[in-house]
Amino acid sequence: MRLRSLHICLALLALVPAVLPAAERTVAAVKPGSVAFAGNSAVSTTLLEARDPPPASTAEAATGGEHYWLRPGNGVRLAFDLDSLPAGLSAAQMRRCVLRVVASEVRYVREHEAVAAVVELAVRRVGETRPLAALRDLRPDRPVSLNPDNGRLCEAVAEAAAAPARRLELELYTATSRASSLLHGRAPAEDTIRHASSAPRLVIQYAPDAATAAAAKGWRQPQHDAGHSGRGDSNPAHGPSGFELQALPLPAVGEDAGPGLLAERPLLWRDQVIAVHKRGKRNFLVALDGKGALLWSSEIGGGVVQRAPVIGPQGLLYLVTEDAVRAWDLEARGALRHRFVLPELAPQMPVRLAPFTKPTVGEDGSLYLVLGDGVDGVLGLDARLRPFLFFGLHEGAGTITPGSPALSIDGRYVAVPNGEGAVLVDLHDPAEAERLAFGDGAAGSGWRHHLPVAGMRAGEWIFSGYDAEDGTGTVWAFAGRAPRWQASGGTSTQPVLAPDGRVWFVQDGRLNVRGFGPGDAGRRFGDGLCASSNPVMDGAGNLFFWCSGTLHGFAPDGRALFVGQRFADGPEENLALALGADGSLWTANANGGELFVFRPRFPPPPAPPAARHQRR
């Protein structure tokens, strides 16, 4: 009974505000049925939760942390701290400013009855009389948005952000006669999941300036970027002719000078290698340079790391342990910034992530998790680890273990493969979801999903996985709701999205490349290949993958860069590869005590014509 109650409570989070912290991009208008290309302009989103309000400027309102009482003559103040906005942000840089509120009750004040009402709601800055925005339709438990077309709300945000206090105070008021409303306020501490998405929020979408955009340029997370592309930043003029392997021992950290273990695979951030180092019952966050030398370390407490951590573009590392999600600031040598305690099924029994799933981080720092243990849903946390989204996957979604979430290329949808298809949750209206059907070759009981891959155009998706029981695998391509093709056969690898928009994967002993065109048969290269790692691709389109002691490399045209290179004393059979900015491949054994790095070896450049003539 307790489990069912928690599931019902969490399902209420489907009634979440429509504009949420998924970064929007401009999408060109196209004819119905066609697919739009996402624009190139970067847009960031800041989601701000209202602070405890000061007394109302009109007659004293009955307001509290959990509900705000709005009625004629009794306004409700909302205060927002703007410290998280970049300094100097102008109204011209803001693409959208939205105030979201949710009513718990809407009533007419009558002697013997209470009747649902349509209430006019307006918002203005404290001390002003002109409204910034107004909305007519306020109904119980239905999110409403005050998004003025004239941009006055953005102007008020920019003006407040430029002031020393960096604080915006707004007042909600109504002139509807004989009506009152209870608006959701801050969620009580013991109930943050169910009501957090109903709290008043200010959502600001803006185009960062060049300096702000450059600060996030070092965000390199293969398989954890917005599209799960699998590509890295290295862009060599020529593909490598092979690699040299180095084994780097973990540095000594803490008081114990003995050897430690890696809690998970290493991550790459800017020019640093980031790893979680476990010594006894304590965990340490360590940053290494490209040669494996220790730059800094920070003790981050105990607990068992549940999944590989992810790093957001703001430099926060998100780590999931048994009871909580925590955000550690890499810019501040691993300082703890935020924490979200996972809900409990019973005392001391927190909900876990669904098996075989990994967190996904968005370009705005929002974090997406798929919860298991009967809760069965995708949970969205903002960059400060405050929940803003929950969508239940249990009802009518199949009984197969779900896969990891991914964001669409336009940042609007969260995709979760589940059962016989995939669920697409619209972050602008998360009460609704689309479902894509895999059709033939749908996932079975022993299925393991790879990370979904978002195509280079809005509406394009690649889903894939394999059956651990019989070794079969399938890759599905979608453009909109229509399936474009599927490749069924033996176990398939995690796909990689090339810079030209084509998809590469290994299946049935061959390297496959296919586009999104209807019925695209694609091309196949090599023979007798296998892969026991995720493939990674550099910026030039060169592809690399590992197979049980052998490293393979292929050029963008399918030509082998080198014959499969065997490493007798290499790392273990199954690996997770990360591609560095210099073309190095970083990895580690599961719970191993050392890092492994494959250094690329490039052929010498051809001699200039004059030098060749002199040699004759």
Side-chain angles (χ1 to χ4, degrees):
M1 180 62 68
R2 190 174 183 87
L3 174 61
R4 177 175 176 82
S5 299
L6 178 63
H7 177 73
I8 293 174
C9 291
L10 288 175
L12 293 177
L13 281 177
L15 299 173
V16 9
V19 181
L20 293 169
E24 286 191 15
R25 301 176 182 84
T26 303
V27 178
V30 293
K31 296 179 180 179
S34 60
V35 180
F37 281 95
N40 294 322
S41 58
V43 177
S44 296
T45 302
T46 295
L47 183 145
L48 304 173
E49 183 177 1
R51 301 293 93 195
D52 289 327
S57 59
T58 57
E60 197 69 23
T63 61
E66 298 181 26
H67 289 92
Y68 304 143
W69 187 14
L70 178 70
R71 54 182 176 155
N74 290 271
V76 170
R77 282 193 186 182
L78 302 175
F80 298 92
D81 295 326
L82 306 179
D83 290 336
S84 59
L85 290 178
L89 190 67
S90 67
Q93 292 175 263
M94 298 183 190
R95 298 293 182 261
R96 202 176 197 189
C97 298
V98 177
L99 180 65
R100 303 292 303 180
V101 293
V102 181
S104 174
E105 294 184 44
V106 180
R107 294 172 176 259
Y108 277 129
V109 180
R110 293 181 177 176
E111 184 176 353
H112 299 295
E113 60 181 340
V115 180
V118 174
V119 178
E120 291 183 344
L121 180 66
V123 60
R124 62 191 171 199
R125 293 190 69 180
V126 171
E128 295 184 1
T129 57
R130 291 188 306 161
L132 295 172
L135 190 78
R136 174 175 170 77
D137 193 8
L138 180 64
R139 296 184 181 275
D141 290 323
R142 177 177 173 179
V144 294
S145 169
L146 291 95
N147 182 26
D149 295 331
N150 59 13
R152 292 196 62 224
L153 187 56
C154 282
E155 293 174 2
V157 171
E159 183 179 339
R166 307 207 77 193
R167 182 181 177 90
L168 176 65
E169 293 188 2
L170 301 175
E171 183 181 5
L172 300 177
Y173 66 96
T174 180
T176 303
S177 176
R178 298 192 307 166
S180 67
S181 301
L182 279 180
L183 304 181
H184 283 286
R186 284 206 308 166
E190 68 276 7
D191 199 14
T192 56
I193 293 288
R194 186 176 60 172
H195 290 301
S197 58
S198 296
R201 294 185 184 273
L202 182 63
V203 181
I204 306 163
Q205 295 175 328
Y206 60 91
D209 56 24
T212 304
K217 189 176 180 181
W219 182 40
R220 302 189 193 99
Q221 283 308 296
Q223 307 300 340
H224 289 87
D225 58 352
H228 281 178
S229 68
R231 294 199 308 272
D233 288 344
S234 172
N235 194 4
H238 304 283
S241 59
F243 285 81
E244 295 178 358
L245 176 63
Q246 283 185 289
L248 305 175
L250 292 176
V253 294
E255 297 177 358
D256 181 7
L261 298 176
L262 280 174
E264 258 295 350
R265 65 182 179 87
L267 302 175
L268 304 181
W269 180 69
R270 298 186 178 172
D271 57 350
Q272 301 176 15
V273 181
I274 307 296
V276 178
H277 191 174
K278 190 170 188 64
R279 286 181 172 272
K281 296 183 178 181
R282 296 189 297 171
N283 296 318
F284 292 84
L285 188 60
V286 298
L288 313 174
D289 64 15
K291 297 182 179 180
L294 179 66
L295 297 174
W296 55 263
S297 66
S298 174
E299 185 174 353
I300 58 174
V304 178
V305 177
Q306 299 296 302
R307 299 292 188 275
V310 292
I311 302 174
Q314 293 82 11
L316 293 179
L317 179 140
Y318 300 104
L319 187 69
V320 183
T321 57
E322 304 103 320
D323 62 342
V325 185
R326 293 174 176 84
W328 309 90
D329 191 348
L330 300 180
E331 297 275 13
R333 301 171 67 91
L336 177 63
R337 294 301 186 208
H338 312 293
R339 185 182 70 151
F340 171 74
V341 177
L342 292 168
E344 292 184 342
L345 293 169
Q348 308 301 316
M349 290 182 59
V351 172
R352 302 293 182 92
L353 270 61
F356 313 111
T357 63
K358 302 176 182 179
T360 290
V361 64
E363 292 185 15
D364 58 355
S366 52
L367 189 69
Y368 301 89
L369 313 169
V370 176
L371 302 182
D373 284 340
V375 176
D376 302 329
V378 55
L379 173 67
L381 306 172
D382 67 15
R384 297 186 179 185
L385 297 185
R386 298 172 299 191
F388 68 87
L389 167 73
F390 183 88
F391 187 89
L393 300 171
H394 184 72
E395 297 296 334
T399 59
I400 309 303
T401 301
S404 301
L407 286 172
S408 60
I409 196 66
D410 60 359
R412 178 165 178 171
Y413 292 92
V414 174
V416 180
N418 190 66
E420 298 180 349
V423 178
L424 301 183
V425 182
D426 187 348
L427 294 180
H428 292 193
D429 186 11
E432 301 293 334
E434 294 184 31
R435 300 189 186 275
L436 304 179
F438 289 160
D440 295 339
S445 60
W447 195 262
R448 302 289 181 264
H449 293 279
H450 292 307
L451 290 167
V453 174
M456 297 190 68
R457 296 185 293 183
E460 292 183 343
W461 289 100
I462 292 289
F463 301 99
S464 62
Y466 63 96
D467 195 320
E469 295 178 356
D470 61 16
T472 60
T474 305
V475 182
W476 295 274
F478 284 83
R481 296 182 180 179
R484 288 302 179 102
W485 50 262
Q486 74 177 52
S488 299
T491 301
S492 60
T493 64
Q494 164 74 37
V496 171
L497 186 69
D500 61 5
R502 296 186 300 167
V503 180
W504 294 76
F505 56 94
V506 178
Q507 187 181 52
D508 291 333
R510 307 194 73 184
L511 181 60
N512 295 255
V513 56
R514 300 185 73 161
F516 280 86
D520 185 352
R523 300 180 64 189
R524 295 168 179 82
F525 306 97
D527 193 20
L529 300 174
C530 66
S532 58
S533 77
N534 56 302
V536 292
M537 179 178 286
D538 63 23
N542 300 306
L543 185 73
F544 309 98
F545 55 91
W546 174 261
C547 180
S548 304
T550 300
L551 189 65
H552 296 277
F554 287 85
D557 59 3
R559 172 181 49 87
L561 293 171
F562 47 86
V563 178
Q565 188 175 357
R566 185 74 182 174
F567 293 90
D569 298 323
E572 63 190 10
E573 178 178 349
N574 298 301
L575 296 178
L577 296 177
L579 180 64
D582 63 351
S584 296
L585 302 173
W586 290 82
T587 189
N589 290 337
N591 294 315
E594 56 187 348
L595 292 169
F596 295 93
V597 55
F598 297 91
R599 307 281 188 189
R601 184 174 60 245
F602 295 99
R612 291 200 298 265
H613 179 73
Q614 291 175 1
R615 284 199 298 268
R616 295 197 191 104

